[in-house]
Amino acid sequence: MYQAYEKLTFPAGVGVEASGVVEAVGENLSNSWIGKSVFGFGRNTAAELAVLTHWAELPANVSFELAACTPVVFETASRSLAYLAMQADETLFVSGASGGVGSAVVQLALAHGINVVGSCSHKNSDYIRALGAMPVTHGDGLNIRIRRVTEKTIDAVLHVTGVGIIPELIELVGDPYKVVSVSDFGAIKYGARFCKGPPENPSLTLSALAEMLACHKLKMPIEKKFPLADIAKAHQLSEKGHVTGKIILTIGK
C-alpha cells in the first residue's frame, strides 16, 4: 500500500518506536543519558539495539512495555483529532476503535468532552464501553446500527481501519470534509481527507505523552508479547485485524 507514496529499498527494517535503557549516545549528546530509561521514536526499532531520533525520559511509574507501544498511537490520535477540530459535546464516530490508534483516539476525544461512538468486533464491545464510548459492531448495515445506539448527530468521522467503507462514512456524516482517514490513502478520491505523518514536533509529542502516562491518563492494553525472534508471528497476528490495543516485541529478560 505504501509503495506508491514512500520510497523503500529492500532489505528494510521495521519499527518506529521503542523503549529501553540508553547504552550509547550520538555526537553532541551528553553522556549523562547513558544508563537512563527512555522511550521515543526511531527507525527500524525492531532490533536488538534501537536507535532513537527523538526521546523522553521514562516516568518512574511507567513500564517499558506501556511506554514502547504508545508514541505512534498517541501522536496519530492527537494529529488526526486536530484535523477534525471538534468542540466539546460534539459526537465523533471512530471506525476501528479497539486497536492501538483507535484506543488512543477514544480516550483523547473523551478527555476533551467529545462524545464517541466506535466500531469494533463483537468481542471488543465491552472494552470500548469500558473506555467510555458507545460500541457498534463492524459490517454491513453499520450506519443503521450507529443510529440505533445514539440519537446525537455524528459531527465527524475518523477512519482508522476498515476496507472500502469511506463512501458509507461520508453518507453517515453528510460532508466528505468531515471524514478523516489515517489508513486509507484512497479516501481523498471521495473528497475525504488523509492525515499523514511523520510527527511535526516529536519532542513536544513525547513530553505531553510522558506527562499523560505518569498521571495514568492513557491506557493501552497489550494483546500479546513476542520475543524479537518471533517477529513474524507478531505480524501474522496483526494481519488478522482483531487485535485489542497493541502487540509488542521484547528483548532480553
Side-chain angles (χ1 to χ4, degrees), residues 3-212:
Q3 290 182 34
Y5 301 90
E6 296 184 8
K7 184 178 180 180
L8 183 64
T9 302
F10 291 100
V14 295
V16 292
E17 57 190 346
S19 69
V21 177
V22 178
E23 292 198 8
V25 295
E27 294 182 6
N28 302 318
L29 283 178
S30 171
N31 285 334
S32 64
W33 279 104
I34 295 176
K36 288 187 176 181
S37 299
V38 300
F39 73 110
F41 297 103
R43 290 182 61 85
N44 304 330
T45 57
E48 291 179 353
L49 292 172
V51 179
L52 299 185
T53 55
H54 299 85
W55 63 91
E57 190 163 358
L58 184 73
N61 61 341
V62 178
S63 69
F64 284 114
E65 288 86 354
L66 178 59
C69 68
T70 49
V72 168
V73 297
F74 177 80
E75 190 281 327
T76 304
S78 301
R79 172 166 38 88
S80 56
L81 286 172
Y83 264 56
L84 292 170
M86 299 183 71
Q87 304 297 315
D89 206 37
E90 290 188 322
T91 301
L92 170 69
F93 173 67
V94 182
S95 173
S98 60
V101 174
S103 296
V105 167
V106 169
Q107 293 174 75
L108 293 181
L110 290 171
H112 286 86
I114 298 168
N115 306 304
V116 180
V117 180
S119 65
C120 58
S121 63
H122 180 72
K123 79 178 184 70
N124 286 327
S125 293
D126 287 343
Y127 167 67
I128 296 301
R129 195 175 290 110
L131 290 179
M134 293 172 279
V136 293
T137 53
H138 297 303
D140 295 339
L142 176 64
N143 288 359
I144 295 174
R145 290 192 296 280
I146 292 172
R147 295 186 178 101
R148 285 175 181 169
V149 301
T150 180
E151 296 179 353
K152 295 180 179 292
T153 300
I154 301 297
D155 299 291
V157 174
L158 181 54
H159 173 253
V160 179
T161 58
V163 179
I165 64 170
I166 297 297
E168 187 176 5
L169 298 178
I170 293 173
E171 179 185 348
L172 173 67
V173 76
D175 181 353
Y177 190 78
K178 293 182 179 180
V179 176
V180 170
S181 177
V182 297
S183 63
D184 186 348
F185 288 106
I188 58 176
K189 71 182 180 182
Y190 299 103
R193 291 180 289 166
F194 182 79
C195 182
K196 185 178 183 296
E200 293 183 3
N201 195 329
S203 296
L204 184 61
T205 295
L206 291 170
S207 177
L209 175 56
E211 184 176 340
M212 287 194 72

